Amino acid sequence: MPISRRMVGTVFVGGALVLTLSALAYPAMLGVETTSANQDRVIANTQYGPLTEADRDFVVKVRAAGLWEHPLGMMAMQRGTTAEMKEAGQHLVVGHARLDLACRKLASELNITLPNQASPQQQQFVATVDSKTGKEFDATGVAIMRVTHGQIFPAIAKIRGTTQNTLVRQLADLANDTVLDHMTILEKTGMVNFDANNFQQTTPPKLPKDQMTPPAPQPGAPVLTLAIPKGLEDLNTASPTALPSADVK
């Protein structure tokens, strides 16, 4: 039976799934009990410019996003029921692998500690999608992914517009390209319920801090890397080119 827009909305807002939809709004300061209220506070002066609380928070969020979206993309590649869903999985995997490589390089330059595991909330996202089959797998995956990408999109713009650190600015440029590509490719599945999506983006549930914070890595543990599957090395994950209006000369 085909999935209707109404069914997608029902899958999206129903039951326990509602409790998990606030992927990137968490205090990302690993090893710190509370995040400073002053996100503009400079925590380090580097050769690339000052590094603020907000800059470091952004880098950790980018890393954490890949730790759950990459495996979810792998599932979509393998279990998606349509060519469009499988394509979305490819873009999620490749885009986040490239973004994560940039993130890890930046973190080593700026001495930022990165998590090796997603937060409990983010792990639940993956588990929720993994528990579905067939068309419901597709609909649930698209619903979660489109909301979380829509939530992070304005945060990227804010960092890009305010950071004085050139490396963070470069990461924001790449993150903007990647997220825009992912939103576009998810919309191509035809399963985005924009009414439900917009509601969830603007009214995320409030969850305990420990559910939204990725655990700190074990001392001395190697940094986990996200791989690009063989054959997808040349996949184009740049943001789509804007099409001019027909009346623009």
Side-chain angles (χ1 to χ4, degrees), residues 90-92 94-95 98 177-178 181-182 234-239:
Q90 292 176 349
H91 280 247
L92 289 168
V94 175
R98 291 172 178 165
D177 257 14
T178 303
D181 171 67
H182 290 176
D234 296 326
L235 183 70
N236 181 11
T237 57
S239 60

Side-chain angles (χ1 to χ4, degrees), residues 66-78 85 89 92-93 122 125-127 129-130 137 140-142 144-145:
L67 291 173
W68 70 276
E69 293 178 27
H70 185 277
L72 198 153
M74 292 292 291
M75 287 196 299
M77 287 172 56
Q78 297 162 4
M85 188 64 181
L92 289 168
V93 168
Q122 293 167 329
F125 287 155
V126 180
V129 180
D130 192 26
F137 169 87
T140 304
V142 169
I144 291 177
M145 296 303 302

Side-chain angles (χ1 to χ4, degrees), residues 56-67:
R56 181 169 59 177
D57 185 58
F58 174 70
V59 175
V60 174
K61 286 179 179 180
V62 170
R63 166 67 170 178
L67 291 173

